[in-house]
């Protein structure tokens, strides 16, 4: 009975707030319907401001076992990620690339063989990007727009030549050289902030475990895991 009364009191209090706000707005010449929309709009706006966007990105996959585990975990948590896949891995496991795409994750280019751009291999690097784009387009039906250049080495002229956008990172827990799940989780959660871009690799068991723990922790702190395009352009 006490619980029911509390709920009734809450509803009445909310109604009073809305009516009071509406009366003030009507006095100022605002239509009653618009007044209510304004009041509820303020509430919705506050809810939006409480959401912090952050991006999980994964390089070097897909891995035939660990990527599937990762996708399962992300789906359970309603979290989106960006996967920068190597062409040779996409060629070997196209079903995983298709699953990434169908489940709302972003699929990006990480070259065909993880080649690092240097002074003497510009054309080879470019050819690998083009080859990988063609592979990914054939799998998902959409041409990739985003590229994660291996080791961060990039030639800005590729952006106009290939119409591709390079994506780097702001948090690097070095998961590729450590199996310490707690250490990886700690490095990321301590540095997490709005619009951060987390670099990880979906070919290690420890990375998958750490990534899902990171999602659990940061979601409780009000973070929403989104694809990289929402961080860069929203």
């Amino acid at each position: 009975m006490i619980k029911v009364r509390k709920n009734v009191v809450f509803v009445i209090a909310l109604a009073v707030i809305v009516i009071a706000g509406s009366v003030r707005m009507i006095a100022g010449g605002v239509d009653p319907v618009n007044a209510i929309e304004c009041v509820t709009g303020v509430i919705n706006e506050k809810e939006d401001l409480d959401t912090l966007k952050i991006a999980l990105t994964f390089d070097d996959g897909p891995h035939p076992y660990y990527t599937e585990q990762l996708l399962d975990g992300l789906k359970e948590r309603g979290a989106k990620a960006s996967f920068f896949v190597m062409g040779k891995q996409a060629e070997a496991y196209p079903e995983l690339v298709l699953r990434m795409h169908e489940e709302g994750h972003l699929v990006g280019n990480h070259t065909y063989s993880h080649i690092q751009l240097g002074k003497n291999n510009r054309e080879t690097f470019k050819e690998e990007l083009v080859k990988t784009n063609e592979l990914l387009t054939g799998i998902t039906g959409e041409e990739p727009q985003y590229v994660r250049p291996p080791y961060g080495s990039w030639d800005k002229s590729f952006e106009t030549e290939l119409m591709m956008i390079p994506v780097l990172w702001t948090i690097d827990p070095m998961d590729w050289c450590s199996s310490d799940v707690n250490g990886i989780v700690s490095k990321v959660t301590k540095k997490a902030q709005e619009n951060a871009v987390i670099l990880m690799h979906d070919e290690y068991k420890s990375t998958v475990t750490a990534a899902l723990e990171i999602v659990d922790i940061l979601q409780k702190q009000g973070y929403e895991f989104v694809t990289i395009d929402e961080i860069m352009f929203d």
Side-chain angles (χ1 to χ4, degrees), residues 61-134:
H63 184 278
Y65 180 69
Y66 296 125
T67 300
E68 187 171 15
Q69 282 191 330
L70 178 60
L71 288 170
D72 289 342
L74 293 173
K75 186 175 183 179
E76 289 173 7
R77 292 160 173 80
K80 302 304 180 187
S82 299
F83 290 87
F84 294 94
V85 304
M86 288 194 294
K88 66 178 184 179
Q89 294 300 105
E91 200 168 38
Y93 309 106
E95 70 283 355
L96 289 173
V97 175
L98 182 59
R99 180 180 172 185
M100 293 171 187
H101 175 71
E102 290 180 339
E103 293 184 359
H105 304 292
L106 183 143
V107 178
N109 191 324
H110 197 45
T111 74
Y112 184 84
S113 67
H114 206 270
I115 183 176
Q116 181 175 11
L117 178 64
K119 293 181 179 179
N120 301 317
N121 68 348
R122 184 183 185 280
E123 287 306 310
T124 302
F125 184 89
K126 180 180 175 181
E127 288 170 5
E128 286 212 7
L129 290 177
V130 172
K131 181 177 181 179
T132 302
N133 265 5
E134 291 173 350

Side-chain angles (χ1 to χ4, degrees), residues 9-233:
V9 170
F10 173 79
V11 171
I12 293 172
L14 181 60
V16 169
I17 291 170
V18 172
I19 293 169
S22 299
V23 168
R24 287 195 296 271
M25 291 178 188
I26 293 167
V30 179
D31 181 78
V33 174
N34 292 338
I36 294 173
E37 288 179 352
C38 287
V39 174
T40 56
V42 170
I43 296 172
N44 291 334
E45 184 179 353
K46 186 177 186 306
E47 289 176 352
D48 291 341
L49 291 174
D50 289 339
T51 299
L52 304 171
K53 292 184 178 181
I54 195 165
L56 259 180
T57 67
F58 297 93
D59 290 4
D60 297 355
H63 184 278
Y65 180 69
Y66 296 125
T67 300
E68 187 171 15
Q69 282 191 330
L70 178 60
L71 288 170
D72 289 342
L74 293 173
K75 186 175 183 179
E76 289 173 7
R77 292 160 173 80
K80 302 304 180 187
S82 299
F83 290 87
F84 294 94
V85 304
M86 288 194 294
K88 66 178 184 179
Q89 294 300 105
E91 200 168 38
Y93 309 106
E95 70 283 355
L96 289 173
V97 175
L98 182 59
R99 180 180 172 185
M100 293 171 187
H101 175 71
E102 290 180 339
E103 293 184 359
H105 304 292
L106 183 143
V107 178
N109 191 324
H110 197 45
T111 74
Y112 184 84
S113 67
H114 206 270
I115 183 176
Q116 181 175 11
L117 178 64
K119 293 181 179 179
N120 301 317
N121 68 348
R122 184 183 185 280
E123 287 306 310
T124 302
F125 184 89
K126 180 180 175 181
E127 288 170 5
E128 286 212 7
L129 290 177
V130 172
K131 181 177 181 179
T132 302
N133 265 5
E134 291 173 350
L135 280 168
L136 297 178
T137 302
I139 295 169
T140 68
E142 290 186 12
E143 185 173 0
Q145 294 181 313
Y146 299 88
V147 54
R148 167 69 53 73
Y151 310 102
S153 302
W154 183 244
D155 182 335
K156 196 167 180 61
S157 64
F158 286 140
E159 294 171 29
T160 51
E161 287 183 41
L162 303 177
M163 299 300 291
M164 298 196 75
I165 301 167
V167 178
L168 299 181
W169 53 89
T170 61
I171 301 176
D172 181 3
M174 304 290 285
D175 63 303
W176 59 272
C177 63
S178 173
S179 58
D180 178 9
V181 171
N182 290 334
I184 295 169
V185 171
S186 178
K187 287 178 182 177
V188 173
T189 55
K190 285 181 178 178
K191 294 181 179 180
Q193 59 182 334
E194 187 172 14
N195 296 326
V197 179
I198 305 163
L199 169 63
M200 302 187 83
H201 302 78
D202 56 320
E203 55 182 329
Y204 306 104
K205 179 180 179 180
S206 53
T207 291
V208 173
T209 303
L212 297 179
E213 285 190 20
I214 288 165
V215 172
D216 290 338
I217 292 169
L218 294 184
Q219 281 184 333
K220 289 178 182 177
Q221 294 179 14
Y223 283 93
E224 178 187 4
F225 286 83
V226 300
T227 52
I228 194 65
D229 51 325
E230 291 194 47
I231 295 289
M232 296 181 75
F233 295 106

